[in-house]
Amino acid sequence: MAIIKPMVRSNICINAHPIGCAKDTKNQIDWVVSQKNKKGIKSSKEGNAKAPKNVLVLGCSTGYGLASRIVAAFEYGADTIGVSFEKEGTETKGGTPGWYNNKAFDKFAAAQGLKSSTFNMDAYSDECRQAVIDEAKKWGVKFDLVIYSLASPVRTDPDTKELYRSVLKVIGKEYKGPALDIVNGKLIPDVVAPVAEGDDIANTVKVMGGEDWERWFKYLLDADVLAEGCKTVAYSYIGPALSHAIYRDGTIGMAKKDLEERAKVIDSMLKKVNGSAYVSVNKGLITRSSSVIPVIGVYLGCLFKIQKAAGTHEGCKEQIERLFTERLYTADGKVPVDEEGRIRIDDLELRPEIQEKVDQIMPKITQENIADMIDLEGVRKDFLNINGFDVDGVDYTKEVTDMSAIE
C-alpha cells in the first residue's frame, strides 16, 4: 500500500501510476469519441466502406502508437491487434506506463464490443511476426491498415542475432545548446550532443530505420494477411532548422531518411494488393526522450506557448485524429502528400508565422524569464502525463494497493 509520486532522475520519470495511466488512456478515448460524434464519422459496420476494419499497430502502448490505436478503434470502429514490449506490473512492483495503457485499452475496447488483442513481445522478432499472423488467421481477418510506430534503443537482427544500439548524436561537429529541466523549470546551459563515430550511424539506421518495417511486410504479404487496398504508415519528424543539427541531420535523422526510402520499397511491394505505404511527418511533442535532448525541450515549450495562443496546438490524439480524418480517409479517397510523397501533419508547427515567432523568442530565453517565455506548465504536464501523473480526474492522495490493477 503506498501513495505513488513521480520519481524523476536526470529528466526521466522512472515510475508510473497505474490509475493515472488508465485514466489518461480513457481521457484520450473520450476525446476521440467526441470527435467521432462531432464529425459524424461512421465505422464500416455503420456503412462507411472507406473505414479501416482490422488494424495492426506496431508500437501501440504510448504516444503516437497508442493514439493511432484509439482513433482506429473508437472513431472508426476497427478491431485492432497491438504489439509492444513492456514490463508487466505485479501486486507489489510497478510496470511500465505502456503496460497499463494497453491493459486499459483492451478493457475499454471490450466494453464497446471492439475486438482487440495485445502482444507483449519484441516487435523486431520473427516470433512476434508469426504470432501476429497466427492471430489474424485465427480471427479470419486481413489487415487494411498497419501503423509502424516503433522506437527503441536496441534491436537484435533476426538473422544474425547480433544486437545493435541506436544513439542520438550529431554528425560532423559537436553541437551544444540549452536543455530543459522540466520538473524544476530550469535551463541546463551548454548541454553537448556528442559527435557520431565508428558504427554509430549504421547502427542507428539498423535500429531506427526502415529495415524492420520492410521485413514485416515480407512476412505479412507471404502469409496473405493484408487486405486489398491496405495502407501502412510509419512516423517521422523533421522539425525546424534550429533542431536539424541534432535531429534531421544527426544519427536519428539518417535513420528517418532510411525509413522514407524503405517506404518506397514497401509501396512497390504493396502493389500486389493495390496498397500503399507512407511516412507521416508529425509534430514535435514531449516524449520520454525529447526532454533530455539539447534545445528540443526549450523549443517545444516555446512552440507550445505560441501555438496555444494561435489556437493551433495539438497533442498526440489531435495529430492522429487529423491524420485519419484529413489524410488517410478523405472523402475522395486520395491521400494528400508533399513533393517527396510524405504525409505532413507537422504543417501547423512549421507555419512561417509560427516559426518566425519561435526564432524571435528562443534567443531571449534566460533562467530569469523562462516561466514567462515558454509554456513550462504545459510541458511539465505532458511530461508527467506520459507516466500517469498529473492526469485530470485522478486522486493522487489515494493509496494504491495493487500495482497490477488499473482501477
Side-chain angles (χ1 to χ4, degrees):
M1 256 197 179
I3 291 171
I4 304 170
K5 293 182 177 176
M7 295 165 61
V8 180
R9 305 279 184 274
S10 304
N11 244 13
I12 296 170
C13 190
I14 59 172
N15 66 335
H17 197 290
I19 315 296
C21 288
K23 179 61 175 167
D24 188 52
T25 300
K26 181 65 164 63
N27 289 348
Q28 290 184 62
I29 290 169
D30 289 346
W31 182 84
V32 165
V33 170
S34 76
Q35 294 306 297
K36 172 182 171 66
N37 296 335
K38 188 166 110 181
K39 295 180 179 178
I41 302 288
K42 290 191 168 19
S43 68
S44 63
K45 296 179 188 96
E46 296 165 324
N48 182 359
K50 292 192 185 79
K53 303 180 193 67
N54 299 288
V55 177
L56 171 61
V57 183
L58 302 168
C60 66
S61 60
T62 58
Y64 282 126
L66 176 62
S68 302
R69 199 177 185 192
I70 288 171
V71 172
F74 292 92
E75 190 161 18
Y76 284 85
D79 293 330
T80 62
I81 292 176
V83 178
S84 65
F85 205 17
E86 304 296 334
K87 182 183 149 201
E88 193 170 332
T90 68
E91 192 173 335
T92 55
K93 286 192 176 174
T96 47
W99 188 77
Y100 298 119
N101 295 341
N102 287 341
K103 195 170 179 179
F105 176 90
D106 285 335
K107 174 192 162 185
F108 297 127
Q112 287 300 310
L114 296 164
K115 207 167 180 181
S116 73
S117 184
T118 305
F119 288 92
N120 191 15
M121 295 180 77
D122 177 5
Y124 293 131
S125 71
D126 291 343
E127 291 78 10
C128 180
R129 284 179 251 279
Q130 193 56 54
V132 166
I133 288 164
D134 290 346
E135 188 78 349
K137 290 188 170 178
K138 193 170 93 180
W139 284 15
V141 302
K142 295 186 179 187
F143 300 116
D144 42 33
L145 176 65
V146 179
I147 297 291
Y148 191 86
S149 185
L150 293 181
S152 171
V154 295
R155 174 181 172 231
T156 300
D157 185 289
D159 294 323
T160 65
K161 306 304 176 192
E162 191 174 341
L163 183 73
Y164 294 86
R165 294 187 183 279
S166 66
V167 292
L168 196 143
K169 292 185 178 180
V170 294
I171 296 170
K173 61 178 183 178
E174 186 180 273
Y175 176 83
K176 68 179 178 181
L180 178 64
D181 181 334
I182 289 177
V183 174
N184 298 313
K186 291 187 174 170
L187 277 178
I188 309 166
D190 297 333
V191 174
V192 175
V195 177
E197 52 193 14
D199 294 330
D200 283 345
I201 297 170
N203 290 349
T204 302
V205 170
K206 185 86 175 172
V207 177
M208 296 287 287
E211 183 179 279
D212 179 72
W213 185 27
E214 186 179 327
R215 193 176 180 102
W216 266 100
F217 277 87
K218 283 177 182 160
Y219 271 70
L220 296 171
L221 279 163
D222 285 350
D224 192 24
V225 290
L226 296 180
E228 189 74 9
C230 174
K231 295 184 180 85
T232 184
V233 184
Y235 295 140
S236 186
Y237 180 64
I238 291 177
L242 70 87
S243 71
H244 281 187
I246 185 70
Y247 200 90
R248 187 65 180 173
D249 298 331
T251 53
I252 295 291
M254 294 304 107
K256 294 302 185 183
K257 285 168 187 171
D258 180 74
L259 193 73
E260 290 171 22
E261 287 307 308
R262 301 273 184 167
K264 295 168 189 169
V265 176
I266 298 166
D267 193 73
S268 296
M269 291 164 68
L270 285 173
K271 293 292 177 270
K272 188 177 175 185
V273 291
N274 293 312
S276 46
Y278 303 96
V279 167
S280 174
V281 183
N282 300 359
K283 174 189 179 179
L285 294 172
I286 292 295
T287 65
R288 296 180 75 169
S289 58
S290 64
S291 45
V292 294
I293 306 169
V295 172
I296 299 293
V298 185
Y299 162 71
L300 291 175
C302 185
L303 175 73
F304 288 10
K305 190 175 181 82
I306 293 164
Q307 283 201 285
K308 283 177 182 179
T312 59
H313 176 69
E314 295 173 314
C316 280
K317 63 184 187 299
E318 292 88 0
Q319 277 266 286
I320 298 304
E321 198 274 338
R322 189 157 67 92
L323 170 68
F324 274 63
T325 58
E326 297 181 17
R327 302 292 191 272
L328 292 177
Y329 300 105
T330 54
D332 63 5
K334 291 178 183 167
V335 178
V337 293
D338 69 6
E339 64 283 355
E340 302 285 333
R342 301 171 298 205
I343 295 171
R344 302 300 293 263
I345 51 170
D346 62 343
D347 50 341
L348 302 181
E349 172 184 357
L350 295 184
R351 276 184 177 171
E353 67 271 23
I354 296 292
Q355 288 302 319
E356 277 167 25
K357 286 182 181 171
V358 169
D359 291 341
Q360 288 164 14
I361 293 168
M362 283 288 287
K364 298 174 185 170
I365 297 170
T366 65
Q367 185 54 66
E368 290 67 40
N369 66 19
I370 189 166
D372 297 319
M373 300 293 266
I374 76 169
D375 180 23
L376 197 53
E377 286 311 307
V379 166
R380 188 180 286 136
K381 186 171 179 63
D382 286 358
F383 173 77
L384 292 170
N385 281 179
I386 292 166
N387 286 56
F389 296 103
D390 199 22
V391 175
D392 297 338
V394 177
D395 181 1
Y396 289 98
T397 64
K398 214 170 163 185
E399 291 191 331
V400 175
T401 55
D402 182 355
M403 290 298 291
S404 68
I406 56 170
E407 52 191 331

